[in-house]
Amino acid sequence: MTSLRFVFLFLLISFSASAQKDYKLWLQYNSVTNSAVASEYKNNLKGIVVLGNSETIKIAEKELKTGFLDMLGSIPEIKQNIEGENNLIVGSQLDLSTEIKSELKADFEKINNEGFIIKSISLQKKKQIVISGKNDIAVLYGVFNFLRILQTNKSVKNLNIVDSPKTNIRILNHWDNLDRTVERGYAGFSLWNWQKLPDFIDQRYIDYARANASIGINGTVLTNVNANALILTPQYLEKVEALANVFRPYGIKVYLTARFSAPIEIGNLKTADPKDPEVINWWKTKSAEIYKRIPDFGGFLVKANSEGQPGPQNYGRNHVDGANMLADAVAPFGGVIMWRAFVYSEHDANDRAKQAYAEFQPYDGKFKENVIVQVKNGAIDFQPREPFHPLFGAMPKTPLMMEFQITQEYLGFSTHLVFLPKLFQEVLESDTHQKGKGSTVAKVVDGTLYQNKLTGIAGVANIGNDLNWTGHPFAQANWYGFGRLAWNPYLDSEIIAEEWLRSTFSNDENFIKPVKNIMIESREAVVNYMTPLGLHHIMDTGHHYGPGPWVSNLSRPEWNPTYYHKADKNGIGFDRSKSGTNAVSQYAPEVAKLFDNLETCPEKDLLWFHHVSWDYKLKNGQTLWNGLALKYQEGVNQVREMQNVWNKAEKYVDSERFNEVKMLLEIQLKEAKWWRDACLLYFQQFSGKELPAGVEKSTQTLEYFKSLKFPFAPGNG
Amino acid sequence: MTSLRFVFLFLLISFSASAQKDYKLWLQYNSVTNSAVASEYKNNLKGIVVLGNSETIKIAEKELKTGFLDMLGSIPEIKQNIEGENNLIVGSQLDLSTEIKSELKADFEKINNEGFIIKSISLQKKKQIVISGKNDIAVLYGVFNFLRILQTNKSVKNLNIVDSPKTNIRILNHWDNLDRTVERGYAGFSLWNWQKLPDFIDQRYIDYARANASIGINGTVLTNVNANALILTPQYLEKVEALANVFRPYGIKVYLTARFSAPIEIGNLKTADPKDPEVINWWKTKSAEIYKRIPDFGGFLVKANSEGQPGPQNYGRNHVDGANMLADAVAPFGGVIMWRAFVYSEHDANDRAKQAYAEFQPYDGKFKENVIVQVKNGAIDFQPREPFHPLFGAMPKTPLMMEFQITQEYLGFSTHLVFLPKLFQEVLESDTHQKGKGSTVAKVVDGTLYQNKLTGIAGVANIGNDLNWTGHPFAQANWYGFGRLAWNPYLDSEIIAEEWLRSTFSNDENFIKPVKNIMIESREAVVNYMTPLGLHHIMDTGHHYGPGPWVSNLSRPEWNPTYYHKADKNGIGFDRSKSGTNAVSQYAPEVAKLFDNLETCPEKDLLWFHHVSWDYKLKNGQTLWNGLALKYQEGVNQVREMQNVWNKAEKYVDSERFNEVKMLLEIQLKEAKWWRDACLLYFQQFSGKELPAGVEKSTQTLEYFKSLKFPFAPGNG
């Protein structure tokens, strides 16, 4: 057998190690090479007792076996009953013996339905470890968490973990079209092979579910928010049902986007007016049809009256009318409506940043119980940095769901290493002051600030059919980190980075420390080389690839970068202070005051809120122009440092992933320079000033940068 | 180490065995489990001596090491010099010792530049095996061929293989667009990630090159014949260059499609007239620019004045003018022009099947030396069965290149198991009689019939970014088989099937025999359940998915299925006899006579050439209607038999590929029934007859089948 084994091992390395390793995400289950740690694991884990026999429990058992075999080279004895000591006992509360249940009584009181317990206990004076929860899905979460302990080489002695997810809906939003193109997708095309569904179940569906379950994601919206009504026809629902069947044992519910005009397009009605009885009935019947196929269908995500999508306003109704009508349709089946607050109108001359708040805040308290309003993290659109969205904390009677973007629409596509949990954390930690100091966005999102029952976090997926799922090996960390933060919005992004690195690459401290550092720095790097000091939305238009601060010819003013930076001879920045659009007034008074005052406004948000003179003195004593230029240069320098660190990581990483990241960092450096040079040459026209010392000069002209065209940049929606 | 190895082995099976095994194509290098065979290999292969150090030779050496390690568990000693006996000596003629060269003198005289020698020789009374050729690429071909001997468990005693490819250009045509959609692609999307090129070299590019080299494919057209001029701009040529650099050491030349109107679209000229001096100069300059980047650039493939593509006729010129102008542009660099003969006009009321011949045959002898005319295997368009194209043999002074379609546009996409080499062989074996009996299509294609110097076979690729490259595990066999037939158009498809099965799955005879049988039968099965007895082009329109014999509303008459089957109360079939369109007259007299006479016309081509009464008596005594119905039923039965055989193959195949094929056969059965039922219900309207005994009745109505719509069927061009 040995030679046979060796055969496979070698192939792994010689032919498609990349496919293999990249594909496995953070579930590498690398062999535990630290012998002390391995011994501890073997000594404390002599047997496995699995209670229950649902599909979910079988998945948990298989996962444990895989994990043990891969990490320790052997599987502890599988026992039918608890005999001897040092057993791992795995099962839901219902399946536990009375003795264990009473042992864990206090712990069970602490967890919710999805929470789990991992605990070292003594049963008849024998040491055992129990993994349990109130149902089998919770047990599966516990198993993945336990395996993570092994993956990160932590001790299994005296375990006492009692953990519950802090939000109800932890969900990926796939902006996937029925033709398998993905809007803002940079990792190939959609995973969902509609042509071969329902009869062909791609192995990837299973591996996708497994990866999500391992980080606690419990929902997936299969289709683009710019929706196609055909997904709601029997022809497609049969396919959706097949996916739901695959995902169910992994605790993942399927959701769909509902095109508001579907009653017209596929229902042969003349209207989609949410007050029309036929329309109301159509959605009720359609919902019943869906729930008949998929009894645990999650519900609908809706983008209405936004960027050309139809909605209730087409009929003189408002968002509340639309959302509540749909909410009534799914309520009998326990479904929810996730209604997006991402609205702005080309007919509204008001600052785009103010429009969602202006539209939605007055609706507070008017939505049905099973509606949750999905709000992007910032008021514009997933920029490298935005101040938190003013709606957070401003609608106490309405559940608000966070919408993060995992796919890097505005952050370098899948060629830039940018660790997004750092961005997510910054938003979640922001203090809205809406209910006094400490009213953080996280508390709004997890419902603790206003005691909302329905809570959730959505992430626009960065997943495609690339061999490595996400295009960039490090973009896997953003999927991972999103899931971890959706489970617990208070987690520190450094901890997430470290968990991910250990599970994905290596437990070697000489690798972890420097590479973790570049991950943590990477978000600030992209801000620096793209949009420092509060600049935003100066990407080239449509595809959003590369710099385009000069673009000013689009029909909708708020799609033009010039709308956002407002550079002129006097300075640069969007005046949202009281003397400007007064967008600051949408925040709580303490926050509004902070942002409104040029002196107290954080410099990272300076040009978001203020139009500032080129000669304005920054806190470090530099003029704004010099400071801006130095920030751009700093971004480039940070990428160079990322390269230095990565080059030293070669010995800890397989050669293919090492080379992939190396090539990608080369592209990132090239594009960071492109951003720096194009933006500084463009803004220099207004500032009329020389570049300060330390800032490298462009080798190309502004005209060259303006001439670049990318008609086939991916993900253009 | 053992436990570590075991870790990897298990992961392979537990997490993504499918990804891994499917991805590896026919280069599985499975362990040789027959111990007698393994011993023979080990005894006869004690050392390896590699001569030369080009990139290609290094690839050959690495391949040998991988193959030995995987198949035998160890690598023979790598030696610097030939010491002892039973060495494998690998190197090109130039690098061989005088003694070996003289030993192989006669063999070297037999091979061409790409041919190889694998020979057991005696050197100073010591047994050795030599793999050689006139250059390093030929050596690489020899190495892959040698590894195939091991993969198929054949003896390595007394080797004496002297083999050369019979055609010059063995090339894949990728109908890949710059947005990564693939026209007629059913295996995901384009491999070419233009966004990340040139700086990011996806591992798949390397694995693609390796797979092609292993079967002797030496060219690839990267872009769709429905071409985009942007591929010829520096922005894209830089990316093409990067791919060419990857492919070069594998012996693969890069070609591009040339959009005829490129001088206007990207050259700022007012015309693309091939006689215009500015246009002529533009193409010369463009060619020089390309060859500066890619000195071994292969040349251009052109679809002109066909299905809306621009061409010389837009300027009152003809195909010769267009092709020769481009030929002059690439001639100084050794490039070739592959000019497609696939033309038909909506303004020509003539039988579509006659138009390519009518247009091109008169041009015989008028093309420049470096032009090769690329002709589809049949006169219509890649149907499940077509008589050979009448141009073959009819242009003695013009090199004609075969164009096969590997992607299954009209043969069930990537969900139907159809082994295409059987189809290819049928075409290649067809006797054109143009230079007397035995003037087979193969002899036209390999140039031996008319002593053409330039020869080639093109295959429209079925490759995409699916994990398994081709969508269906068995579709890999069509890529493989195409390559083998391009190398040697006289190879028997059964031998190809067996080679492929052994290399891809197992050498177990109990597996090989039945599964080979279903592969061989599979092509006739698809003909039976789609288009028996010479029917053709009755697929639903646009996407060509499923039956659509009723479609008659398209603007171009020859795009309507009704144009092709002409069913009416009197009978069915397209009368191409002398009393009809006289398409038969385009063949040599012997062939024309055969096809023209209802009595001698092969029944497999009956309705291609004749409009036949429903009561016509077939050779088996059945009426045409009954015979047709029974053929449809036979197709369905054949798929059931494929299922029976496959279900018994479970123990020889990994579970994931087993299940994939099982699910796909289920779809194939469902669709075979759909074809049978829809076509018979439709034709029954005309025949007015009952189904004969043995033919299952449809459970759906014709109206139901007509109502089916597939707006997102893949590959729609």
Side-chain angles (χ1 to χ4, degrees):
Chain A
M1 265 304 278
T2 306
S3 69
L4 180 64
R5 285 169 202 164
F6 197 47
V7 166
F8 281 94
L9 172 63
F10 187 77
L11 258 182
L12 221 69
I13 291 159
S14 64
F15 187 45
S16 54
S18 171
Q20 182 65 13
K21 291 213 162 241
D22 266 2
Y23 185 86
K24 276 163 39 185
L25 298 163
W26 49 86
L27 297 167
Q28 304 283 328
Y29 296 148
N30 288 326
S31 180
V32 176
T33 50
N34 181 322
S35 55
V37 173
S39 297
E40 187 205 305
Y41 292 167
K42 286 188 179 176
N43 293 336
N44 287 276
L45 298 158
K46 299 279 190 193
I48 300 179
V49 184
V50 178
L51 308 168
N53 56 9
S54 68
E55 257 197 272
T56 302
I57 287 295
K58 283 179 195 151
I59 288 165
E61 181 178 351
K62 190 181 170 201
E63 197 69 35
L64 279 172
K65 287 181 183 169
T66 306
F68 275 110
L69 192 55
D70 294 355
M71 289 190 274
L72 298 170
S74 64
I75 300 171
E77 188 187 347
I78 306 293
K79 300 177 181 172
Q80 296 308 309
N81 302 298
I82 305 166
E83 286 157 5
E85 61 177 357
N86 290 318
N87 293 299
L88 184 64
I89 303 162
V90 179
S92 79
Q93 189 176 19
L94 278 175
D95 292 316
L96 294 179
S97 68
T98 318
E99 194 187 351
I100 302 180
K101 265 190 280 202
S102 84
E103 187 77 24
L104 301 179
K105 191 161 179 290
D107 300 309
F108 276 116
E109 280 164 12
K110 286 184 210 152
I111 58 173
N112 62 27
N113 263 337
E114 293 180 296
F116 60 82
I117 300 158
I118 304 176
K119 195 162 184 177
S120 304
I121 60 170
S122 181
L123 280 184
Q124 295 159 351
K125 300 197 178 160
K126 285 175 182 158
K127 252 177 52 190
Q128 314 287 4
I129 298 173
V130 185
I131 302 178
S132 192
K134 290 185 180 163
N135 59 54
D136 291 346
I137 299 296
V139 174
L140 182 62
Y141 289 153
V143 163
F144 275 116
N145 197 287
F146 177 79
L147 287 166
R148 187 177 301 127
I149 293 169
L150 307 193
Q151 282 187 288
T152 54
N153 290 2
K154 287 187 185 150
S155 174
V156 294
K157 289 179 193 161
N158 305 314
L159 289 167
N160 188 7
I161 301 172
V162 181
D163 195 11
S164 293
K166 295 189 188 299
T167 59
N168 311 135
I169 303 174
R170 308 177 297 280
I171 194 166
L172 291 174
N173 288 185
H174 289 270
W175 287 358
D176 291 16
N177 299 313
L178 299 185
D179 63 2
R180 296 187 70 185
T181 58
V182 180
E183 187 162 333
R184 311 313 177 184
Y186 313 106
F189 293 79
S190 174
L191 292 184
W192 323 131
N193 188 334
W194 298 113
Q195 173 72 13
K196 285 183 176 167
L197 281 167
D199 299 306
F200 186 80
I201 300 302
D202 197 307
Q203 178 66 25
R204 281 199 104 139
Y205 306 150
I206 298 164
D207 294 335
Y208 165 86
R210 180 172 167 243
N212 279 324
S214 78
I215 49 177
I217 288 174
N218 68 357
T220 179
V221 185
L222 300 176
T223 47
N224 192 353
V225 287
N226 292 322
N228 190 312
L230 285 180
I231 194 68
L232 303 176
T233 59
Q235 184 180 13
Y236 277 92
L237 288 176
E238 187 186 14
K239 300 167 192 281
V240 173
E241 181 185 347
L243 288 174
N245 291 340
V246 173
F247 299 160
R248 187 171 295 112
Y250 293 89
I252 296 164
K253 282 187 185 179
V254 158
Y255 299 69
L256 294 173
T257 47
R259 183 156 164 98
F260 205 78
S261 50
I264 302 171
E265 291 154 5
I266 61 169
N268 287 317
L269 300 188
K270 294 217 170 64
T271 178
D273 181 350
K275 300 271 191 185
D276 182 283
E278 279 194 284
V279 170
I280 292 167
N281 189 54
W282 188 87
W283 281 108
K284 285 194 170 168
T285 309
K286 181 53 73 182
S287 299
E289 179 192 346
I290 295 172
Y291 278 93
K292 198 174 167 193
R293 289 181 179 276
I294 310 166
D296 57 350
F297 179 70
F300 295 121
L301 169 64
V302 188
K303 175 177 182 179
N305 294 121
S306 169
E307 299 184 319
Q309 289 297 301
Q313 293 175 347
N314 299 35
Y315 308 94
R317 315 297 183 182
N318 65 30
H319 286 283
V320 175
D321 300 327
N324 287 351
M325 180 273 292
L326 287 173
D328 283 342
V330 297
F333 312 101
V336 302
I337 301 300
M338 301 173 289
W339 192 272
R340 290 173 95 233
F342 177 66
V343 297
Y344 60 99
S345 167
E346 70 269 42
H347 308 300
D348 188 343
N350 204 347
D351 178 2
R352 170 174 165 184
K354 292 174 67 181
Q355 296 186 33
Y357 179 98
E359 177 101 37
F360 273 81
Q361 199 283 329
Y363 297 143
D364 187 31
K366 298 189 177 167
F367 290 100
K368 299 261 177 173
E369 266 195 351
N370 60 331
V371 174
I372 185 163
V373 175
Q374 185 167 312
V375 182
K376 289 188 181 183
N377 60 276
I380 296 293
D381 194 11
F382 299 137
Q383 296 302 298
R385 169 167 282 132
E386 299 190 39
F388 70 90
H389 200 297
L391 275 174
F392 289 111
M395 296 180 75
K397 288 176 247 162
T398 308
L400 296 190
M401 190 164 173
M402 172 62 75
E403 179 175 323
F404 284 131
Q405 192 179 45
I406 314 172
T407 190
Q408 292 170 235
E409 174 179 356
Y410 295 98
L411 292 99
F413 292 8
S414 62
T415 27
H416 292 211
L417 192 168
V418 183
F419 182 60
L420 293 174
K422 186 79 180 161
L423 183 165
F424 301 158
Q425 183 180 3
E426 179 177 289
V427 175
L428 291 164
E429 286 178 352
S430 297
D431 193 343
T432 71
H433 283 271
Q434 292 284 12
K435 206 178 154 187
K437 192 164 157 48
S439 305
T440 60
V441 172
K443 287 185 185 170
V444 176
V445 168
D446 77 358
T448 54
L449 192 65
Y450 299 120
Q451 281 74 54
N452 307 108
K453 278 186 198 155
L454 193 55
T455 58
I457 302 194
V460 181
N462 64 345
I463 302 164
N465 73 341
D466 272 5
L467 285 181
N468 73 355
W469 303 86
T470 58
H472 196 306
F474 275 78
Q476 298 177 350
N478 295 331
W479 176 9
Y480 179 87
F482 165 77
R484 299 289 287 134
L485 282 167
W487 181 279
N488 179 2
Y490 303 92
L491 262 185
D492 190 83
S493 57
E494 280 207 40
I495 288 174
I496 297 171
E498 183 163 335
E499 275 179 12
W500 178 80
L501 280 172
R502 289 180 186 275
S503 308
T504 306
F505 287 111
S506 164
N507 274 292
D508 196 307
E509 302 296 336
N510 295 322
F511 170 79
I512 295 293
K513 209 181 151 193
V515 179
K516 185 173 75 177
N517 279 346
I518 62 170
M519 287 175 77
I520 296 300
E521 287 258 321
S522 62
R523 189 284 184 110
E524 206 59 36
V526 76
V527 170
N528 287 338
Y529 63 71
M530 282 188 183
T531 53
L533 297 172
L535 284 175
H536 51 286
H537 218 305
I538 57 174
M539 293 73 191
D540 201 358
T541 49
H543 49 62
H544 299 149
Y545 174 58
W550 46 79
V551 177
S552 61
N553 60 349
L554 300 179
S555 58
R556 292 181 63 158
E558 78 284 5
W559 284 355
N560 285 311
T562 52
Y563 172 92
Y564 297 99
H565 65 68
K566 302 202 189 298
D568 58 23
K569 291 223 179 300
N570 301 320
I572 181 171
F574 197 125
D575 187 358
R576 295 190 169 105
S577 73
K578 279 182 198 157
S579 54
T581 68
N582 201 19
V584 294
S585 68
Q586 294 183 335
Y587 290 97
E590 296 84 344
V591 178
K593 200 176 149 193
L594 187 86
F595 288 152
D596 186 59
N597 186 335
L598 197 55
E599 295 304 308
T600 58
C601 181
E603 275 186 356
K604 65 184 168 60
D605 300 319
L606 189 64
L607 307 180
W608 185 282
F609 287 113
H610 299 277
H611 191 73
V612 182
S613 151
W614 294 112
D615 293 321
Y616 175 80
K617 275 278 177 337
L618 296 169
K619 295 196 172 63
N620 63 6
Q622 296 282 355
T623 63
L624 177 67
W625 166 252
N626 283 355
L628 188 72
L630 287 162
K631 278 284 179 196
Y632 272 108
Q633 182 65 48
E634 188 184 345
V636 172
N637 296 346
Q638 285 168 307
V639 179
R640 288 197 179 112
E641 177 57 20
M642 287 158 73
Q643 290 184 306
N644 289 338
V645 168
W646 188 252
N647 287 339
K648 287 178 198 148
E650 184 162 11
K651 61 182 153 186
Y652 306 106
V653 183
D654 54 290
S655 67
E656 289 189 16
R657 285 190 297 177
F658 174 77
N659 282 325
E660 281 175 7
V661 174
K662 193 176 158 76
M663 289 187 280
L664 291 164
L665 284 171
E666 206 56 61
I667 297 176
Q668 189 168 0
L669 178 65
K670 194 195 253 189
E671 297 189 357
K673 289 179 184 169
W674 171 28
W675 268 94
R676 176 197 63 197
D677 294 346
C679 291
L680 290 179
L681 284 171
Y682 172 76
F683 291 133
Q684 199 170 28
Q685 298 179 114
F686 302 100
S687 80
K689 295 172 191 297
E690 291 300 308
L691 291 177
V695 178
E696 294 157 1
K697 285 216 174 83
S698 176
T699 55
Q700 296 282 359
T701 64
L702 179 59
E703 287 317 303
Y704 166 78
F705 293 121
K706 288 166 90 166
S707 77
L708 298 175
K709 294 284 170 284
F710 305 94
F712 297 105
N716 203 350
Chain B
M1 263 305 276
T2 307
S3 71
L4 180 63
R5 284 169 202 166
F6 198 45
V7 167
F8 280 93
L9 171 62
F10 188 78
L11 259 182
L12 220 69
I13 292 159
S14 66
F15 188 44
S16 53
S18 171
Q20 181 66 14
K21 292 215 162 237
D22 266 2
Y23 185 86
K24 277 161 40 182
L25 297 164
W26 48 86
L27 298 167
Q28 303 283 329
Y29 296 147
N30 289 325
S31 178
V32 176
T33 49
N34 182 322
S35 56
V37 173
S39 296
E40 186 205 305
Y41 293 167
K42 286 188 177 175
N43 293 336
N44 286 277
L45 298 158
K46 299 279 191 194
I48 300 179
V49 185
V50 178
L51 308 169
N53 56 9
S54 69
E55 256 195 272
T56 302
I57 287 295
K58 282 179 195 151
I59 288 165
E61 180 177 351
K62 190 181 169 200
E63 198 67 36
L64 279 172
K65 287 181 183 169
T66 305
F68 274 110
L69 192 55
D70 294 355
M71 288 190 275
L72 298 171
S74 64
I75 300 171
E77 188 188 346
I78 307 293
K79 299 177 181 172
Q80 297 309 309
N81 301 301
I82 304 167
E83 286 156 6
E85 60 179 355
N86 291 316
N87 292 299
L88 184 64
I89 302 162
V90 179
S92 79
Q93 188 175 20
L94 278 174
D95 292 316
L96 295 178
S97 68
T98 318
E99 193 186 353
I100 303 179
K101 264 189 283 202
S102 84
E103 186 77 22
L104 301 179
K105 190 161 181 289
D107 300 308
F108 276 115
E109 280 164 12
K110 287 183 209 153
I111 59 174
N112 63 28
N113 262 337
E114 293 179 297
F116 59 83
I117 299 160
I118 303 176
K119 196 164 185 176
S120 303
I121 59 169
S122 181
L123 279 184
Q124 296 160 348
K125 300 197 180 160
K126 286 175 183 158
K127 253 177 52 189
Q128 314 287 4
I129 298 173
V130 184
I131 302 177
S132 191
K134 290 186 181 164
N135 59 54
D136 291 346
I137 299 295
V139 173
L140 182 61
Y141 289 152
V143 162
F144 275 115
N145 197 288
F146 177 79
L147 287 166
R148 187 176 301 128
I149 293 169
L150 307 194
Q151 283 187 285
T152 54
N153 289 1
K154 287 185 186 151
S155 174
V156 293
K157 289 178 192 160
N158 306 314
L159 289 168
N160 188 5
I161 301 171
V162 181
D163 196 10
S164 293
K166 295 189 187 300
T167 59
N168 311 135
I169 303 175
R170 306 176 299 278
I171 194 167
L172 290 174
N173 287 187
H174 288 270
W175 288 358
D176 290 15
N177 299 312
L178 299 185
D179 64 2
R180 296 188 71 185
T181 57
V182 180
E183 187 163 334
R184 311 311 177 184
Y186 313 105
F189 293 79
S190 175
L191 291 184
W192 324 131
N193 189 335
W194 298 113
Q195 173 72 13
K196 285 183 176 166
L197 282 167
D199 299 306
F200 186 79
I201 300 301
D202 196 309
Q203 178 66 27
R204 281 198 103 139
Y205 306 150
I206 299 164
D207 294 335
Y208 165 86
R210 178 172 167 245
N212 279 324
S214 78
I215 48 176
I217 288 173
N218 68 356
T220 178
V221 186
L222 300 176
T223 47
N224 192 353
V225 287
N226 292 322
N228 190 313
L230 285 179
I231 194 68
L232 303 176
T233 59
Q235 184 180 12
Y236 277 92
L237 288 175
E238 188 186 13
K239 300 167 193 280
V240 173
E241 180 185 349
L243 287 174
N245 291 340
V246 173
F247 299 159
R248 187 170 296 111
Y250 293 89
I252 297 164
K253 282 187 184 179
V254 157
Y255 298 68
L256 294 173
T257 47
R259 184 159 163 95
F260 205 78
S261 50
I264 301 171
E265 290 154 5
I266 61 168
N268 286 319
L269 300 189
K270 294 217 171 62
T271 178
D273 181 349
K275 301 269 191 188
D276 182 284
E278 278 195 284
V279 171
I280 293 167
N281 188 55
W282 188 87
W283 282 108
K284 286 195 169 166
T285 309
K286 181 53 72 181
S287 298
E289 179 192 345
I290 295 172
Y291 279 93
K292 196 173 170 196
R293 288 181 179 276
I294 309 167
D296 57 352
F297 179 71
F300 295 121
L301 169 64
V302 188
K303 175 178 181 178
N305 293 122
S306 168
E307 299 184 321
Q309 291 296 302
Q313 294 175 347
N314 299 36
Y315 307 96
R317 315 297 183 183
N318 65 29
H319 286 284
V320 175
D321 300 327
N324 287 350
M325 179 274 290
L326 287 173
D328 283 343
V330 297
F333 312 100
V336 301
I337 301 301
M338 300 173 290
W339 192 271
R340 290 174 97 231
F342 177 66
V343 297
Y344 60 100
S345 167
E346 69 270 41
H347 308 301
D348 189 344
N350 204 347
D351 178 2
R352 172 174 164 186
K354 291 173 69 180
Q355 297 186 33
Y357 179 100
E359 177 100 37
F360 274 82
Q361 200 283 330
Y363 297 143
D364 187 30
K366 298 190 175 165
F367 290 100
K368 299 263 177 172
E369 265 197 353
N370 59 332
V371 174
I372 185 163
V373 175
Q374 185 167 313
V375 182
K376 289 189 181 183
N377 60 277
I380 296 292
D381 193 11
F382 298 138
Q383 297 302 297
R385 168 167 283 132
E386 298 190 41
F388 70 89
H389 200 298
L391 275 173
F392 289 110
M395 296 181 73
K397 288 176 248 164
T398 308
L400 296 191
M401 188 164 175
M402 172 62 75
E403 179 174 324
F404 284 130
Q405 191 178 45
I406 314 172
T407 190
Q408 294 171 234
E409 175 180 357
Y410 295 99
L411 292 99
F413 292 7
S414 62
T415 27
H416 292 212
L417 192 170
V418 182
F419 182 59
L420 293 174
K422 186 80 180 160
L423 183 164
F424 302 158
Q425 184 181 1
E426 179 177 289
V427 175
L428 291 163
E429 287 178 352
S430 297
D431 193 343
T432 71
H433 282 272
Q434 293 285 11
K435 206 178 156 190
K437 193 164 156 46
S439 304
T440 61
V441 172
K443 287 186 186 168
V444 177
V445 168
D446 77 357
T448 53
L449 191 66
Y450 299 120
Q451 281 74 53
N452 307 108
K453 277 187 199 155
L454 193 54
T455 59
I457 303 195
V460 180
N462 64 344
I463 303 164
N465 74 340
D466 271 5
L467 285 181
N468 74 354
W469 303 87
T470 57
H472 196 306
F474 275 78
Q476 297 177 353
N478 295 331
W479 176 8
Y480 179 88
F482 165 77
R484 299 288 287 133
L485 281 168
W487 180 279
N488 179 2
Y490 301 93
L491 261 186
D492 189 83
S493 56
E494 279 206 42
I495 288 174
I496 296 172
E498 183 163 334
E499 275 180 12
W500 178 79
L501 280 172
R502 289 180 186 275
S503 308
T504 305
F505 286 111
S506 164
N507 275 292
D508 196 306
E509 301 296 336
N510 295 321
F511 170 79
I512 295 294
K513 208 180 151 196
V515 179
K516 185 174 75 177
N517 279 347
I518 62 171
M519 289 175 76
I520 295 300
E521 288 258 319
S522 63
R523 188 287 185 108
E524 206 60 37
V526 76
V527 170
N528 286 338
Y529 63 69
M530 282 188 183
T531 53
L533 298 172
L535 284 175
H536 52 285
H537 218 305
I538 57 173
M539 293 73 190
D540 202 358
T541 49
H543 48 63
H544 299 149
Y545 175 59
W550 46 79
V551 177
S552 62
N553 59 350
L554 300 178
S555 59
R556 292 181 64 158
E558 78 285 5
W559 283 355
N560 286 310
T562 52
Y563 173 92
Y564 297 98
H565 64 69
K566 300 201 191 299
D568 57 23
K569 291 221 178 302
N570 301 321
I572 182 171
F574 197 126
D575 187 358
R576 294 191 169 103
S577 72
K578 278 183 198 158
S579 54
T581 68
N582 200 19
V584 294
S585 68
Q586 293 182 337
Y587 290 98
E590 296 85 343
V591 178
K593 200 176 150 195
L594 186 86
F595 288 151
D596 186 58
N597 185 335
L598 195 56
E599 297 303 308
T600 59
C601 181
E603 276 186 355
K604 64 182 169 62
D605 299 319
L606 189 66
L607 307 179
W608 185 281
F609 287 113
H610 298 279
H611 190 74
V612 181
S613 152
W614 294 110
D615 293 321
Y616 174 81
K617 275 279 180 331
L618 295 170
K619 294 196 172 64
N620 61 7
Q622 296 282 357
T623 63
L624 176 67
W625 167 251
N626 283 355
L628 187 72
L630 287 163
K631 278 284 179 196
Y632 273 107
Q633 182 65 48
E634 188 184 345
V636 172
N637 296 346
Q638 284 169 307
V639 178
R640 288 200 180 109
E641 177 57 19
M642 287 157 74
Q643 290 184 305
N644 289 338
V645 167
W646 187 251
N647 287 338
K648 287 179 198 147
E650 184 161 11
K651 62 182 154 189
Y652 308 106
V653 183
D654 54 291
S655 68
E656 289 190 15
R657 286 190 295 176
F658 174 77
N659 283 325
E660 281 176 6
V661 174
K662 192 176 158 78
M663 289 186 280
L664 291 164
L665 284 171
E666 205 56 60
I667 298 175
Q668 188 168 0
L669 178 64
K670 194 195 255 189
E671 297 190 355
K673 289 178 184 172
W674 172 29
W675 269 95
R676 177 196 63 195
D677 294 346
C679 291
L680 290 179
L681 284 172
Y682 172 75
F683 291 133
Q684 199 171 29
Q685 297 180 115
F686 303 100
S687 79
K689 294 171 191 295
E690 291 300 307
L691 291 177
V695 179
E696 293 156 2
K697 284 214 175 81
S698 177
T699 56
Q700 295 283 0
T701 64
L702 178 59
E703 287 317 302
Y704 166 78
F705 293 121
K706 288 165 88 165
S707 76
L708 297 176
K709 294 284 170 286
F710 305 95
F712 297 105
N716 204 350

